[in-house]
Amino acid sequence: MNPRKTEFVLTLIAGITGVIAGFTGIMGGGLMTAALSSSELTSEAGIYGSDVDAIVSASGIMVVVASFALIIGVVLFVFAFLIKKNAKVFGILTLILGVVGFFLVGLLWIVPGILAIIAGIMCLARKVPDFY
């Protein structure tokens, strides 16, 4: 029996949903940048000049930030397999990455963030018997 199976599964799901959240943020920012770069669309919406430039640059920043969230999702996926080796260290790192993701992509990070925080707390709080 695997003593850290729950933490493994939670971190694995957090990593997979984190990758999905990162891709969603990248696609959303990219689509917004592409749509607002169209002069026909912005003139129909009544957005002109510096407003368009500000929104396009904010969309570009969203793509960059979502790329970091994608990287965090991949790292959480890798941490799922390393939790069995050293639960305390990777539990702390999982907990930190779960919190950092909220600052990057906000609401897109609800599911992976909560799962990563729960897995990190379980790694730190749960004592595994020595006979495993």
Side-chain angles (χ1 to χ4, degrees):
M1 184 174 153
N2 187 354
R4 296 281 179 188
K5 188 172 186 176
T6 307
E7 292 90 335
F8 169 76
V9 170
L10 284 174
T11 309
L12 190 67
I13 294 172
I16 292 169
T17 55
V19 168
I20 293 170
F23 276 131
T24 304
I26 291 170
M27 294 300 292
L31 288 174
M32 188 180 290
T33 301
L36 290 173
S37 297
S38 168
S39 60
E40 296 87 18
L41 183 65
T42 55
S43 64
E44 285 291 322
I47 305 171
Y48 298 103
S50 63
D51 294 336
V52 173
D53 294 337
I55 296 172
V56 168
S57 67
S59 301
I61 291 171
M62 179 62 189
V63 170
V64 171
V65 169
S67 299
F68 285 121
L70 177 69
I71 292 169
I72 288 177
V74 171
V75 169
L76 282 173
F77 185 80
V78 171
F79 281 178
F81 296 99
L82 297 175
I83 279 180
K84 299 171 190 172
K85 302 289 183 200
N86 192 346
K88 297 290 182 192
V89 171
F90 291 109
I92 292 170
L93 292 174
T94 300
L95 187 62
I96 290 170
L97 290 180
V99 171
V100 167
F102 280 112
F103 293 107
L104 293 176
V105 288
L107 292 177
L108 288 175
W109 199 258
I110 288 178
V111 173
I114 290 173
L115 291 176
I117 290 170
I118 291 171
I121 291 171
M122 284 180 70
C123 283
L124 297 175
R126 202 171 116 196
K127 178 137 174 77
V128 177
D130 292 333
F131 58 86
Y132 281 114

